[in-house]
Coordinates of all heavy atoms in Angstrom, one line a residue:
I260 N -12.7 -14.0 2.3 CA -13.1 -13.0 1.4 C -12.6 -11.6 1.9 O -12.0 -10.8 1.2 CB -14.6 -12.9 1.2 CG1 -15.1 -14.2 0.6 CG2 -15.0 -11.7 0.4 CD1 -16.7 -14.3 0.5
A261 N -12.9 -11.4 3.2 CA -12.5 -10.2 3.9 C -11.0 -10.0 3.7 O -10.5 -8.9 3.3 CB -12.9 -10.2 5.3
M262 N -10.2 -11.0 4.0 CA -8.7 -10.9 4.0 C -8.2 -10.6 2.5 O -7.3 -9.8 2.3 CB -8.0 -12.1 4.5 CG -8.3 -12.3 6.0 SD -7.8 -10.9 7.0 CE -9.3 -10.1 7.4
N263 N -8.8 -11.3 1.6 CA -8.3 -11.2 0.2 C -8.7 -9.8 -0.4 O -8.0 -9.2 -1.1 CB -8.8 -12.3 -0.7 CG -7.9 -13.5 -0.6 OD1 -6.7 -13.4 -0.3 ND2 -8.5 -14.7 -0.6
A264 N -9.9 -9.3 0.0 CA -10.4 -8.0 -0.5 C -9.4 -7.0 0.1 O -9.1 -6.0 -0.6 CB -11.8 -7.8 0.0
L265 N -9.0 -7.2 1.3 CA -8.0 -6.3 1.9 C -6.7 -6.3 1.3 O -6.0 -5.3 1.2 CB -7.9 -6.5 3.4 CG -9.2 -6.2 4.2 CD1 -9.0 -6.5 5.7 CD2 -9.6 -4.7 4.1
N266 N -6.2 -7.4 0.8 CA -4.9 -7.5 0.1 C -5.0 -6.5 -1.1 O -4.0 -5.7 -1.3 CB -4.6 -8.9 -0.4 CG -4.2 -9.8 0.7 OD1 -3.7 -9.4 1.7 ND2 -4.4 -11.1 0.4
V267 N -6.0 -6.6 -1.9 CA -6.2 -5.7 -3.1 C -6.2 -4.3 -2.5 O -5.6 -3.4 -3.1 CB -7.4 -6.0 -3.9 CG1 -7.6 -5.1 -5.1 CG2 -7.4 -7.5 -4.3
G268 N -7.0 -4.1 -1.5 CA -7.2 -2.8 -0.9 C -5.9 -2.2 -0.5 O -5.7 -1.0 -0.6
R269 N -5.0 -3.0 0.0 CA -3.7 -2.5 0.6 C -2.8 -1.9 -0.4 O -2.3 -0.8 -0.2 CB -3.0 -3.6 1.4 CG -3.6 -3.9 2.7 CD -3.2 -5.1 3.4 NE -4.0 -5.3 4.6 CZ -4.4 -6.4 5.1 NH1 -3.9 -7.6 4.6 NH2 -5.1 -6.5 6.2
I270 N -2.6 -2.6 -1.6 CA -1.7 -2.1 -2.6 C -2.4 -0.8 -3.2 O -1.7 0.2 -3.5 CB -1.3 -3.1 -3.6 CG1 -0.3 -2.4 -4.6 CG2 -2.5 -3.7 -4.4 CD1 0.4 -3.4 -5.5
K271 N -3.7 -0.8 -3.3 CA -4.4 0.3 -3.9 C -4.4 1.5 -2.9 O -4.3 2.7 -3.3 CB -5.9 0.0 -4.2 CG -6.0 -0.9 -5.4 CD -7.4 -1.4 -5.7 CE -8.2 -0.3 -6.3 NZ -9.6 -0.8 -6.6
L272 N -4.3 1.2 -1.6 CA -4.2 2.3 -0.6 C -2.8 2.9 -0.7 O -2.6 4.1 -0.7 CB -4.4 1.8 0.8 CG -4.3 2.8 1.9 CD1 -5.2 4.0 1.7 CD2 -4.5 2.1 3.3
A273 N -1.8 2.1 -0.9 CA -0.4 2.6 -1.2 C -0.4 3.5 -2.4 O 0.1 4.6 -2.3 CB 0.6 1.5 -1.3
A274 N -1.0 3.0 -3.5 CA -1.1 3.9 -4.7 C -1.8 5.2 -4.4 O -1.4 6.2 -4.9 CB -1.8 3.1 -5.8
A275 N -2.9 5.1 -3.6 CA -3.7 6.3 -3.3 C -2.9 7.3 -2.5 O -3.3 8.5 -2.4 CB -5.0 5.9 -2.6
C276 N -1.8 6.9 -1.9 CA -1.0 7.9 -1.1 C 0.1 8.5 -2.0 O 0.8 9.4 -1.5 CB -0.4 7.2 0.1 SG -1.6 6.6 1.3

Side-chain angles (χ1 to χ4, degrees):
I260 297 174
M262 293 305 101
N263 280 326
L265 292 177
N266 285 335
V267 182
R269 282 167 188 150
I270 184 168
K271 288 175 71 176
L272 179 57
C276 295

